[in-house]
């Protein structure tokens, strides 16, 4: 079995075609007639632009506007007057069209590859893609026609370029495997948009896999099963059928409002960790962002992002989400989330230690940088700020007073911001849940974090497998706290959401409907299944279940009861 990163979903079962590396041979010539070479280059670029305009159009129509834009980006790069003039400069020195074109492409490839940023690195792949395509035209070589491969093909390549991916015939290709590529590469984005099972970053795939070999591509786990037994084939054929049936059933919920069967409208948001995830949230039809975990902006680097970098990241999400609400959580580090350069000291009980808002309020300058970036970004969309790990109303007051001070300064400096910026509290400690009535007077909204609320209420470290059997949001104390929080929010007339994993749990959903939760925030891939779950309940049916369940005394019996009453 080979292993890589599953960048899309689903299962593909088929026979391998290994695509050889697209190194195009040509004779490098000097002392050429520049008029002839200019014409050759211009003719080739014209063909390139025409071919790709048609391809972009086809992609826009069949896959989506954003996907079409990837190819339009290639055209724009080749139409750029600076790029063209650089090529002509070499041609005027007597270098042949192929040589001039390749030299300019290589400069861009080197430049983009040397930048330590995924998006910029992706542009290097785009230029490699363009280079191969234009050299193919210039040299008249035969390009593999991906639209004509046999039915049931699994394509294996060193790297899948966007143009290759875009040419793939979805009826014939059942899976993609590459040696290079990440979740954020353009090929991955296209594979997801085309709903094509794809596993990237499989070491040595083009050598280890042979033409004609039967393989199973498991894009859910990133595994490639080579030469599967008949039994394995049977299992995965069934999994594939089940997955396709589930996807089709869910696709009916795209574009629908989120309502219960009897018409109670709720909001269905998505949780994200990076600005790029916003697109994924939109792809799954999320109605907003209920939790942007900003700590991910601080990870995988050696120093904290400055105000401007943070501002750009928040703004990017807001612009992507247009007028949809985006709830951004202030930094939540500590606990299981360490960031080496932040100087967190080793603690006996990090989950009970210097975490989240506690750390932030003790590192004022640092926190002020984040709050300034947030207040500045608030001008660009429908933004709200959420404070994690609150245990007392004084913490909320302190954050609000810092925000007010920043707003006053911005007003004096004429820096625009949203004067009605909402500041809410994440309810993820028993303390906050118990004083929900006090917090509700000063918070603009609540969002219940069941992941931590469960752990803290039951005194269970959420990452400790020895006590994992105790970790359950269905334990009566957790359910009582959730009910209390929602009820206090209703009394105070503030919106209440849930951004912990509980919001997507089919067994918890009827209880949440009965308690009156306003907003559900789930991982993007769970948006449609959560919408479907909610649509299957009426308030009356949900109330009946809640009444029964809230009278039960143990977690085990609650789960047993719910398993009986909630149809899968
Ligand atoms: C939670 O605690 O429920 C939550 C959503 O926050 P995180 O999982 O980031 O701690
Ligand atoms: Mg939490």
């Amino acid at each position: 079995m080979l292993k890589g990163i599953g960048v899309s979903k689903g299962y593909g079962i088929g026979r391998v075609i290994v695509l050889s590396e697209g190194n195009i041979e040509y004779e490098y010539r000097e002392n050429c007639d520049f008029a002839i070479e200019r014409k050759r280059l211009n003719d080739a670029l014209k063909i390139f632009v025409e071919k790709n305009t048609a391809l972009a159009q086809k992609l826009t129509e069949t896959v989506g506007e954003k996907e079409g834009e990837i190819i339009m980006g290639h055209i724009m790069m080749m139409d750029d007057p600076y790029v063209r003039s650089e090529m002509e400069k070499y041609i005027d020195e007597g270098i042949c069209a192929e040589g001039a074109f390749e030299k300019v492409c290589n400069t861009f490839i080197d430049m983009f590859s040397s930048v330590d940023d995924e998006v910029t690195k992706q542009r290097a792949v785009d230029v490699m893609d363009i280079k191969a395509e234009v050299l193919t035209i210039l040299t008249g070589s035969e390009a593999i026609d991906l639209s004509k491969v046999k039915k049931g093909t699994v394509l294996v390549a060193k790297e899948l370029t966007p143009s290759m991916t875009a040419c793939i015939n979805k009826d014939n290709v059942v899976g993609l495997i590459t040696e290079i590529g990440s979740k954020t590469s353009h090929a991955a984005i296209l594979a997801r948009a085309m709903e094509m099972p794809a596993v990237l970053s499989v070491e040595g795939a083009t050598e280890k896999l042979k033409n004609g070999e039967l393989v199973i591509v498991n894009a859910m786990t990133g595994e490639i099963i080579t030469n599967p037994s008949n039994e394995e084939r049977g299992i995965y054929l069934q999994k594939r059928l089940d997955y396709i049936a589930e996807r089709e059933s869910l696709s009916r919920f795209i574009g629908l409002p989120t309502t219960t069967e009897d018409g109670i409208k709720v909001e269905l948001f998505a949780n994200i960790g990076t600005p790029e995830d916003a697109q994924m949230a939109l792809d799954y039809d999320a109605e907003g962002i209920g939790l942007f975990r900003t700590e991910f902006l601080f990870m995988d680097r050696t120093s904290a992002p400055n105000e401007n970098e943070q501002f750009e990241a928040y703004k990017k999400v807001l612009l992507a989400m247009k007028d949809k609400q985006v709830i951004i959580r202030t930094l939540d580090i500590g606990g299981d989330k360490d960031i080496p350069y932040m100087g967190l000291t080793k603690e006996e009980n990090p989950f009970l230690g210097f975490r989240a808002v506690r750390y932030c309020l003790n590192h004022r300058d640092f926190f002020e940088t984040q709050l300034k970036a947030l207040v500045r970004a608030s001008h660009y969309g429908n933004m709200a700020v959420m404070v994690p790990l609150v245990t007392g109303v004084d913490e909320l007051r302190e954050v609000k007073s810092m925000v007010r001070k920043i707003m006053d300064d911005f007003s004096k400096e004429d820096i625009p911001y949203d004067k009605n910026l909402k500041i809410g509290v994440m309810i993820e400690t028993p303390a906050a849940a118990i004083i929900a009535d006090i917090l509700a007077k000063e918070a603009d909204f609540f969002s219940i974090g069941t992941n931590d609320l469960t752990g803290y209420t039951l005194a269970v470290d959420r990452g400790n497998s020895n006590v994992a059997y105790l970790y359950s949001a269905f334990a009566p104390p957790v359910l009582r706290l959730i009910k209390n929080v929602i009820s206090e929010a209703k009394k105070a007339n503030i919106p209440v959401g849930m951004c912990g994993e509980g919001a997507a749990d089919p067994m918890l959903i009827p209880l949440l409907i009965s308690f009156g939760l306003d907003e559900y925030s789930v991982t993007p891939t769970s948006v449609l299944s959560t919408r479907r779950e909610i649509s299957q309940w009426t308030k009356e049916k949900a109330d009946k279940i809640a009444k029964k369940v809230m009278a039960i005394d143990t977690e085990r019996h609650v789960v047993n009861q719910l398993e009986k009453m909630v149809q899968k």
Side-chain angles (χ1 to χ4, degrees):
M1 187 173 58
L2 306 178
K3 184 101 180 76
I5 311 168
V7 295
S8 56
K9 287 188 137 198
Y11 306 89
I13 303 169
R15 299 211 173 261
V16 164
I17 290 189
V18 182
L19 302 174
S20 55
E21 262 208 275
N23 264 347
I24 292 131
E25 303 283 334
Y26 65 90
E27 188 197 341
Y28 182 84
R29 290 168 297 124
E30 288 178 353
N31 303 318
C32 301
D33 180 328
F34 68 85
I36 295 175
E37 296 306 307
R38 264 189 188 226
K39 181 163 175 359
R40 287 187 62 230
L41 180 66
N42 285 338
D43 288 351
L45 288 176
K46 194 163 161 250
I47 295 172
F48 169 85
V49 171
E50 277 166 10
K51 193 173 144 224
N52 278 277
T53 308
L55 188 59
Q57 222 160 10
K58 186 180 132 210
L59 264 188
T60 306
E61 282 158 18
T62 56
V63 185
E65 208 169 296
K66 213 184 98 252
E67 288 68 31
E69 277 169 13
I70 295 177
I71 301 296
M72 284 311 288
H74 288 192
I75 299 172
M76 273 156 69
M77 237 189 263
M78 284 305 101
D79 268 345
D80 188 293
Y82 172 74
V83 174
R84 292 253 179 161
S85 73
E86 283 297 286
M87 291 172 194
E88 281 164 9
K89 213 167 73 192
Y90 286 120
I91 288 182
D92 291 349
E93 285 170 16
I95 295 170
C96 65
E98 291 89 342
F101 182 76
E102 186 164 32
K103 272 182 195 290
V104 174
C105 287
N106 288 349
T107 312
F108 282 103
I109 293 168
D110 291 346
M111 187 174 81
F112 291 143
S113 318
S114 65
V115 178
D116 198 13
D117 164 71
E118 268 300 315
V119 178
T120 313
K121 276 198 184 348
Q122 176 59 44
R123 299 194 66 195
V125 179
D126 288 340
V127 182
M128 284 182 219
D129 192 7
I130 298 169
K131 180 172 108 174
E133 233 188 307
V134 175
L135 285 179
T136 305
I137 301 171
L138 271 170
T139 54
S141 7
E142 212 36 67
I144 328 142
D145 191 348
L146 289 180
S147 62
K148 296 215 175 95
V149 295
K150 271 205 217 137
K151 250 190 187 331
T153 292
V154 172
L155 289 177
V156 180
K158 271 241 160 7
E159 179 149 31
L160 266 174
T161 58
S163 71
M164 274 157 100
T165 321
C167 285
I168 288 167
N169 179 344
K170 258 181 83 176
D171 295 333
N172 296 354
V173 178
V174 293
L176 305 172
I177 302 171
T178 70
E179 293 183 7
I180 301 169
S182 66
K183 273 199 161 115
T184 51
S185 60
H186 279 160
I189 294 169
L190 282 166
R192 275 198 292 275
M194 294 165 81
E195 299 181 327
M196 174 80 62
V199 177
L200 312 189
S201 272
V202 182
E203 230 183 287
T206 56
E207 271 150 38
K208 289 179 189 154
L209 296 170
K210 303 282 171 248
N211 278 329
E213 190 174 10
L214 186 71
V215 291
I216 294 175
V217 181
N218 184 345
M220 313 299 244
T221 59
E223 286 162 350
I224 310 293
I225 303 175
T226 47
N227 296 314
S229 64
N230 276 347
E231 194 192 344
E232 281 174 315
R233 251 184 103 174
I235 293 171
Y236 279 91
L237 278 170
Q238 189 55 48
K239 276 183 191 258
R240 182 173 150 78
L241 287 178
D242 292 347
Y243 172 74
I244 293 170
E246 166 78 356
R247 201 179 59 198
E248 270 159 20
S249 130
L250 286 180
S251 65
R252 286 190 294 117
F253 288 87
I254 294 178
L256 293 186
T258 308
T259 58
T260 58
E261 198 192 327
D262 52 341
I264 300 170
K265 167 103 184 65
V266 292
E267 284 178 305
L268 180 54
F269 289 3
N271 297 343
I272 61 168
T274 65
E276 288 70 37
D277 293 346
Q279 189 50 51
M280 185 151 138
L282 287 171
D283 291 345
Y284 283 102
D285 202 27
E287 297 156 28
I289 300 296
L291 167 64
F292 177 3
R293 291 180 162 101
T294 57
E295 51 279 8
F296 287 99
L297 299 176
F298 292 71
M299 290 175 184
D300 289 333
R301 36 188 305 151
T302 48
S303 61
N306 63 28
E307 183 186 321
N308 222 32
E309 283 173 275
Q310 290 191 55
F311 163 71
E312 289 297 341
Y314 307 144
K315 182 174 148 192
K316 191 169 171 187
V317 177
L318 288 160
L319 293 180
M321 298 304 293
K322 302 208 169 85
D323 54 351
K324 294 184 162 78
Q325 190 176 37
V326 175
I327 302 177
I328 306 184
R329 175 171 78 183
T330 58
L331 189 69
D332 180 10
I333 47 153
D336 58 347
K337 300 169 195 151
D338 186 21
I339 298 176
Y341 61 81
M342 305 280 280
L344 289 167
T345 48
K346 200 131 196 69
E347 294 174 305
E348 282 288 323
N349 285 305
F351 273 100
L352 303 181
F354 216 28
R355 214 192 132 176
V357 69
R358 303 171 183 181
Y359 177 94
C360 288
L361 288 173
N362 274 280
H363 293 78
R364 291 290 172 129
D365 288 350
F366 166 84
F367 192 30
E368 202 176 78
T369 304
Q370 180 171 45
L371 293 178
K372 277 185 176 167
L374 286 167
V375 176
R376 270 174 69 196
S378 68
H379 177 63
Y380 295 89
N382 180 359
M383 193 187 104
V385 171
M386 174 157 78
V387 189
L389 209 80
V390 166
T391 50
V393 73
D394 43 351
E395 287 163 330
L396 173 63
R397 285 180 190 150
E398 275 191 72
V399 176
K400 283 174 80 168
S401 116
M402 285 178 77
V403 169
R404 261 195 309 272
K405 161 96 180 45
I406 291 169
M407 287 180 166
D408 288 347
D409 292 345
F410 281 4
S411 292
K412 281 179 212 141
E413 292 164 49
D414 273 340
I415 298 172
Y417 62 88
D418 176 8
K419 295 198 168 53
N420 294 314
L421 177 65
K422 303 270 184 279
I423 301 183
V425 168
M426 222 175 141
I427 307 286
E428 53 181 348
T429 64
I434 292 165
I435 58 157
D437 56 329
I438 300 175
L439 290 168
K441 292 195 185 100
E442 298 181 41
D444 291 318
F445 63 93
F446 285 160
S447 183
I448 306 172
T450 44
N451 307 345
D452 276 316
L453 185 62
T454 303
Y456 288 126
T457 305
L458 301 171
V460 170
D461 174 347
R462 69 194 241 200
N464 182 340
S465 56
N466 290 337
V467 282
Y469 70 98
L470 285 170
Y471 181 89
S472 166
F474 296 103
V478 183
L479 292 180
R480 286 190 189 191
L481 289 182
I482 293 173
K483 186 173 182 208
N484 180 57
V485 173
I486 298 174
S487 143
E488 290 304 332
K490 301 262 133 195
K491 276 190 221 157
N493 214 9
I494 59 166
V496 52
M498 178 176 284
C499 59
E501 295 297 310
D505 191 325
M507 293 215 297
L508 197 62
I509 285 172
L511 304 185
L512 301 176
I513 291 172
S514 173
F515 301 158
L517 191 78
D518 299 307
E519 173 244 300
Y520 297 66
S521 193
V522 302
T523 51
T525 47
S526 299
V527 167
L528 293 174
S529 56
T530 305
R531 184 172 291 150
R532 179 178 60 188
E533 256 350 287
I534 292 170
S535 77
Q536 287 166 1
W537 291 99
T538 61
K539 178 80 166 58
E540 196 188 331
K541 275 197 282 178
D543 281 347
K544 213 163 112 196
I545 291 194
K547 191 161 173 233
K548 206 156 197 162
V549 161
M550 293 310 281
I552 297 176
D553 53 3
T554 68
E555 188 268 348
R556 193 160 57 85
H557 288 119
V558 168
V559 171
N560 283 348
Q561 186 64 44
L562 283 169
E563 273 171 356
K564 270 191 235 139
M565 296 180 89
V566 178
Q567 280 152 16
K568 285 267 147 187

